[in-house]
Amino acid sequence: MTLFWRIFLLNATVMVLATGLLLLGPVTVSTPVLLTEALIMAVGLVAMLTANAALLRVGLAPLQRLTKAMTTTDLLRPGQRAEVSGHSEIADLITTYNTMLDRLEAERAASSALALSAQEDERRRIAQELHDEVGQTLTAVLLELKHVADQAPGPLRSDLLHVQETTRESLDEIRRIARRLRPGVLEELGLTSALRDLTREITAHAGLAVRPSFDSPVPKLGQAAELVLYRVAQESLTNVVRHSGARHVDFTLRTTPAGVDLRIRDDGHGIGRAAEGAGIRGMRERALLIGADLDLTAPPAGGTEVHLHVPAPQGSK
């Protein structure tokens, strides 16, 4: 039972009992109770209850709005605040709630930044080990296999060549994984080249037709913003390959006066009512770190569209 109905029923009980005592007790307006007096008192009771309900509804409306705000607030979509209204106690409660949201959003942003920084450092370390340790070991194995295959008899040579080819494919796969963990091309050649390399890789290994369209040149956004753009594009394309069943993807990067817009739209079956998974939540957290806006929509034609808007750096023209 809501607070409104508890207070209303309590007041109503008191009023009904008072009216009953007045009607049935020894002290009444007249004895026996006249019908007109009973009607007048009943009408008065209804009027009091109605006025009481209206006043309670108005007085508790700010609490109802606060309850709705509490149930709908999402820290991954910051800026949602309850309207401060009502009398002093209720207004203080709403103000305290908004202050708590400010603190929670700031603490979540700080902890997310630390977690994502640690994640990127770990990815960089694993990629380096894959390249230096596993990659060099497999390269040495390939050289040994080639040396042995050159000296082996015919039937055995065929088997060794097959093993050599399998080892070479494994080496290429490890190098591809290392590039995904640490996009060196992003640091060396810039955002546009890194995104083009990403689309070529997805097209080659996933059988997905990616149609890129990039504005040139793209303004310098800073290392953190460019990494967020790349990771959001990478996660979006990975989700398309794993979950959407799409065959084509439109991949656009546009420069606007307000910043840079990234759009990835597929022709798959869409997200429907499925809950957002860890990948999408991770994209939202990355976007929050640089003050970007991330939206996932279902276009009327079907599929899913991911839109990331990265604001222009301060002081840029």
Side-chain angles (χ1 to χ4, degrees), residues 117-136:
S117 177
Q119 184 185 82
E120 290 297 334
D121 291 340
E122 186 67 10
R123 285 183 173 186
R124 188 177 296 107
R125 184 188 65 81
I126 294 174
Q128 191 69 31
E129 291 185 359
L130 286 175
H131 182 272
D132 294 343
E133 303 295 335
V134 182
Q136 291 181 7

Side-chain angles (χ1 to χ4, degrees), residues 25-275:
V27 179
T28 59
V29 176
S30 62
T31 304
V33 179
L34 299 177
L35 178 60
T36 55
E37 295 175 347
L39 290 176
I40 291 173
M41 296 190 68
V43 171
L45 177 62
V46 171
M48 286 189 296
L49 292 177
T50 303
N52 185 38
L55 292 174
L56 283 175
R57 180 68 70 183
V58 172
L60 297 179
L63 286 180
Q64 294 176 343
R65 290 194 293 269
L66 179 60
T67 302
K68 182 178 179 180
M70 288 180 174
T71 56
T72 57
T73 297
D74 186 356
L75 293 181
L76 291 179
R77 297 175 174 86
Q80 303 176 12
R81 296 293 182 268
E83 178 185 357
V84 179
S85 59
H87 295 289
S88 58
E89 295 85 356
I90 297 179
D92 290 342
L93 177 63
I94 298 175
T95 302
T96 303
Y97 171 73
N98 290 338
T99 303
M100 181 190 68
L101 280 184
D102 294 336
R103 186 176 68 253
L104 288 176
E105 289 180 0
E107 292 176 354
R108 182 182 181 89
S111 61
S112 297
L114 291 175
L116 292 175
S117 177
Q119 184 185 82
E120 290 297 334
D121 291 340
E122 186 67 10
R123 285 183 173 186
R124 188 177 296 107
R125 184 188 65 81
I126 294 174
Q128 191 69 31
E129 291 185 359
L130 286 175
H131 182 272
D132 294 343
E133 303 295 335
V134 182
Q136 291 181 7
T137 300
L138 287 180
T139 301
V141 170
L142 280 174
L143 294 175
E144 290 293 334
L145 285 173
K146 183 179 184 305
H147 178 71
V148 174
D150 291 340
Q151 300 178 358
L156 182 58
R157 180 183 302 172
S158 177
D159 292 339
L160 288 172
L161 290 176
H162 177 70
V163 174
Q164 184 181 7
E165 184 62 27
T166 302
T167 305
R168 182 178 290 108
E169 291 176 357
S170 299
L171 179 60
D172 292 339
E173 181 66 17
I174 287 175
R175 288 173 175 170
R176 186 177 69 85
I177 293 174
R179 286 195 303 270
R180 294 191 65 186
L181 289 173
R182 179 178 179 269
V185 66
L186 178 62
E187 301 174 0
E188 297 167 3
L189 300 179
L191 177 63
T192 303
S193 297
L195 292 178
R196 291 189 186 278
D197 184 70
L198 178 63
T199 58
R200 285 193 296 266
E201 179 183 339
I202 293 293
T203 301
H205 291 88
L208 185 68
V210 182
R211 297 176 290 220
S213 176
F214 302 149
D215 281 351
S216 182
V218 176
K220 291 292 184 180
L221 300 173
Q223 183 178 1
E226 291 183 354
L227 182 59
V228 168
L229 268 165
Y230 181 85
R231 290 301 187 198
V232 169
Q234 186 182 52
E235 182 65 29
S236 299
L237 291 176
T238 300
N239 287 340
V240 171
V241 173
R242 291 179 179 175
H243 307 298
S244 72
R247 294 183 299 174
H248 301 89
V249 176
D250 292 322
F251 190 120
T252 61
L253 186 68
R254 295 284 178 262
T255 302
T256 67
V260 174
D261 284 338
L262 172 72
R263 293 182 185 271
I264 299 176
R265 179 174 178 176
D266 64 71
D267 60 355
H269 50 65
I271 57 177
R273 297 183 178 180

Side-chain angles (χ1 to χ4, degrees), residues 262-266 271 295-299 302-307:
L262 172 72
R263 293 182 185 271
I264 299 176
R265 179 174 178 176
D266 64 71
I271 57 177
D295 292 320
L296 275 77
T297 57
T304 304
E305 180 177 299
V306 177
H307 175 216

